[in-house]
Amino acid sequence: MTEPVEYDVVVVGGGPAGENVADRVRATGLSAAVVESELVGGECSYWACMPSKALLRPVITRADARRVPGVRQSVQGPLDTEAVLTHRDEEASHWKDDGQVGWMDSIGARLYRGQGRLRGPKQVVVDGPEGEHHVLTARYAVAVATGSRAVLPDIPGLAGAKAWTSREATSAQRVPRRLAVVGGGVVGVEMATAWQALGSQITLLVRGGGLLPRMEPFVGEHVADALTEAGAQIRTHTSVASVERSDCSGPVTLVLDGGERIEADEVLFATGRAPRTEDLGLETVDLEPGSWLPVDDSCRVEGSNWLYAVGDVNHRALLTHQGKYQARIAGAAIAARARQVPLLETDRWGAHSATADRAAVPQVVFTDPEAAAVGLSHAEAEAAGLRVRAVDYDIASVAGAGLYGDGYRGRARMVVDLDREILLGVTFVGPGVGELLHSATVAVAGEVPIDRLWHAVPAYPTISEVWLRLLETYRG
């Protein structure tokens, strides 16, 4: 048996959240080991954020240009598919992690490649790709940052049909002539937008009544209109009963609940995520394999004094930027506890307490038009029993929208807490609105009173002037 190697902190998972835990604890002088079974940099770098946005950026750029007189005639042709896919490959570092490994070395963290599993409190065993076996012991903490994986529903025929998940959708090397997309959430609508623009005929099958159901209803309506105008077919209130595919290189047939059959060259199931904890050794510390890991606000697993969980795996907010935020919190808390300093004595800026992953979570959906939201929707606020008012404004009526060209369509909403006169949530949909989101996040996270927001003067002529119009509408 290999002799145990001791570190102050052992991080299982080398994606963005795990990297940030290691970075924070190393900055305080603690030693750290990181265990990664795939590529250092994780899902975001190779199969999610970076490749998906690389696919979508040309789509959105062309759409923006087509609205502007003097430019639109120059961009009427198809996208250069080969160039788009080549750039996507570059943004995904050609699925090699040399750069990320170099960064890990630069901060002084030790990388172990292989499958990491807990073996009781503060101990992690690592089985390497070439039969190596390591036993790592943590003096202070083990941080789990293994992320989440795509879930395929239990549908007859699906297991052998070679269906796409988000990974295949962001890394495919050819454009399918017909692509069926099952699911109307973020992954579904972003990939429908990208592959439709690259030449696929998209059929989008949605179980519910609309797209992006976790955002304000008007967001999904705007995105659905744009996808339909681009040539996609959207079928709501539609469920897939079974999948048929006899040859993995041939077409796939989706059989719907009513018996209707839809044929495509590929099918993407974007129907949810599950935690990557099924092979983590959780049973050795009295936790359930395959479960989400509930944590307190320092990201320490409930009932433990040494185990932390950051990123998707704790199920608080499944977004890369939120996972990195949680990792910064956890790293600071681990370091403070290692020094046996009460957290409240060193928590000058709330550095040891994650709160922004609940009430002020920002998200941008990179469709055309873009969608951006932070905080609660109107329906969520009402469901929470709060006395609220939704204030809407047509972004096309703002002078700056005209500079985006002809036919700007967009809408903004702020949800006002009428008792405290602060913003609980803000939502935008329209070209360019992603860049409005941080101002909204500051207003929501900071609980800025509306009478102070009135004195935050937006520049003219920009679409950020919608802030002034929302406040004027609220004040009447």
Side-chain angles (χ1 to χ4, degrees):
M1 176 63 71
T2 304
E3 288 296 315
V5 182
E6 193 171 56
Y7 296 89
D8 292 326
V9 181
V10 177
V11 182
V12 184
E19 288 176 324
N20 272 267
V21 173
D23 188 34
R24 286 302 162 119
V25 299
R26 286 294 300 130
T28 68
L30 299 180
S31 61
V34 178
V35 181
E36 175 53 52
S37 62
E38 293 186 295
L39 297 176
V40 178
E43 199 82 9
C44 179
S45 297
Y46 308 104
W47 299 287
C49 317
M50 298 309 295
S52 68
K53 303 317 169 274
L55 290 173
L56 286 158
R57 184 60 192 160
V59 179
I60 295 170
T61 300
R62 183 180 66 170
D64 287 343
R66 283 178 170 178
R67 298 183 185 101
V68 181
V71 179
R72 66 165 61 97
Q73 295 305 319
S74 303
V75 289
Q76 290 304 312
L79 293 172
D80 183 337
T81 300
E82 182 179 354
V84 172
L85 296 182
T86 296
H87 180 239
R88 184 274 316 273
D89 293 352
E90 292 169 354
E91 288 298 312
S93 301
H94 298 278
W95 293 275
K96 296 179 180 179
D97 62 1
D98 299 10
Q100 300 276 12
V101 172
W103 176 85
M104 191 83 70
D105 289 341
S106 75
I107 67 168
R110 171 66 190 274
L111 173 64
Y112 289 85
R113 291 193 182 273
Q115 177 64 48
R117 297 178 182 87
L118 294 168
R119 193 179 69 178
K122 296 185 180 179
Q123 197 164 83
V124 175
V125 295
V126 184
D127 294 313
E130 298 182 8
E132 317 96 301
H133 185 77
H134 305 280
V135 179
L136 312 180
T137 298
R139 293 186 185 92
Y140 303 116
V142 173
V144 174
T146 49
S148 64
R149 57 178 174 80
V151 175
L152 290 175
D154 186 14
I155 294 175
L158 182 55
K162 293 287 184 180
W164 283 8
T165 67
S166 53
R167 284 197 169 195
E168 290 77 19
T170 56
S171 62
Q173 294 297 321
R174 65 176 185 84
V175 180
R177 184 171 64 89
R178 300 165 299 175
L179 175 62
V181 179
V182 183
V186 175
V187 172
V189 297
E190 285 192 344
M191 290 299 93
T193 298
W195 291 106
Q196 176 74 34
L198 288 168
S200 292
Q201 172 57 57
I202 297 294
T203 302
L204 187 56
L205 306 174
V206 183
R207 177 184 292 180
L211 306 183
L212 299 170
R214 295 187 178 181
M215 304 181 89
E216 299 283 7
F218 62 81
V219 173
E221 293 167 6
H222 276 72
V223 173
D225 287 346
L227 278 169
T228 301
E229 289 174 10
Q233 297 179 24
I234 301 175
R235 304 275 298 271
T236 57
H237 302 293
T238 300
S239 296
V240 178
S242 64
V243 178
E244 299 173 1
R245 193 175 207 173
S246 57
D247 178 355
C248 288
S249 62
V252 58
T253 300
L254 307 180
V255 182
L256 306 185
D257 269 351
E260 183 181 353
R261 302 169 70 86
I262 294 176
E263 187 174 276
D265 296 289
E266 299 290 352
V267 57
L268 163 62
F269 275 83
T271 50
R273 310 284 298 180
R276 295 182 63 183
T277 61
E278 64 277 5
D279 192 23
L280 189 59
L282 291 182
E283 67 280 0
T284 69
V285 292
D286 298 323
L287 294 171
E288 183 181 349
S291 64
W292 303 102
L293 298 177
V295 296
D296 63 19
D297 284 347
S298 69
C299 293
R300 189 164 59 177
V301 174
E302 293 176 359
S304 173
N305 63 2
W306 60 272
L307 184 61
Y308 291 73
V310 295
D312 283 11
V313 74
N314 66 32
H315 207 230
R316 285 167 71 114
L318 277 66
L319 296 161
T320 298
H321 46 278
Q322 295 299 139
K324 293 165 71 173
Y325 161 74
Q326 293 170 4
R328 296 191 291 270
I329 297 293
I334 290 168
R337 287 171 173 144
R339 298 193 303 270
Q340 297 185 336
V341 177
L343 297 192
L344 291 177
E345 292 183 12
T346 58
D347 201 15
R348 291 177 56 205
W349 298 322
H352 308 134
S353 183
T355 57
D357 53 3
R358 292 181 306 202
V361 177
Q363 182 174 20
V364 179
V365 184
F366 293 88
T367 45
D368 173 39
E370 286 181 346
V374 61
L376 300 179
S377 68
H378 186 228
E380 288 170 336
E382 286 190 324
L386 300 170
R387 196 170 69 90
V388 294
R389 176 184 165 194
V391 181
D392 292 2
Y393 199 81
D394 180 1
I395 302 177
S397 299
V398 175
L403 302 179
Y404 278 75
D406 299 334
Y408 188 104
R409 286 181 286 180
R411 185 173 170 185
R413 168 174 287 181
M414 63 182 193
V415 179
V416 181
D417 183 323
L418 295 174
D419 293 320
R420 293 188 291 164
E421 288 221 311
I422 61 171
L423 302 186
L424 298 175
V426 184
T427 299
F428 306 103
V429 62
V433 299
E435 298 303 331
L436 294 177
L437 187 58
H438 192 60
S439 58
T441 303
V442 170
V444 173
E447 298 184 346
V448 181
I450 284 181
D451 61 3
R452 284 301 302 155
L453 284 177
W454 183 254
H455 297 282
V457 181
Y460 179 90
T462 67
I463 58 172
S464 63
E465 196 181 16
V466 72
W467 278 107
L468 172 60
R469 304 307 174 204
L470 286 166
L471 293 168
E472 286 178 333
T473 302
Y474 175 69
R475 294 178 66 159

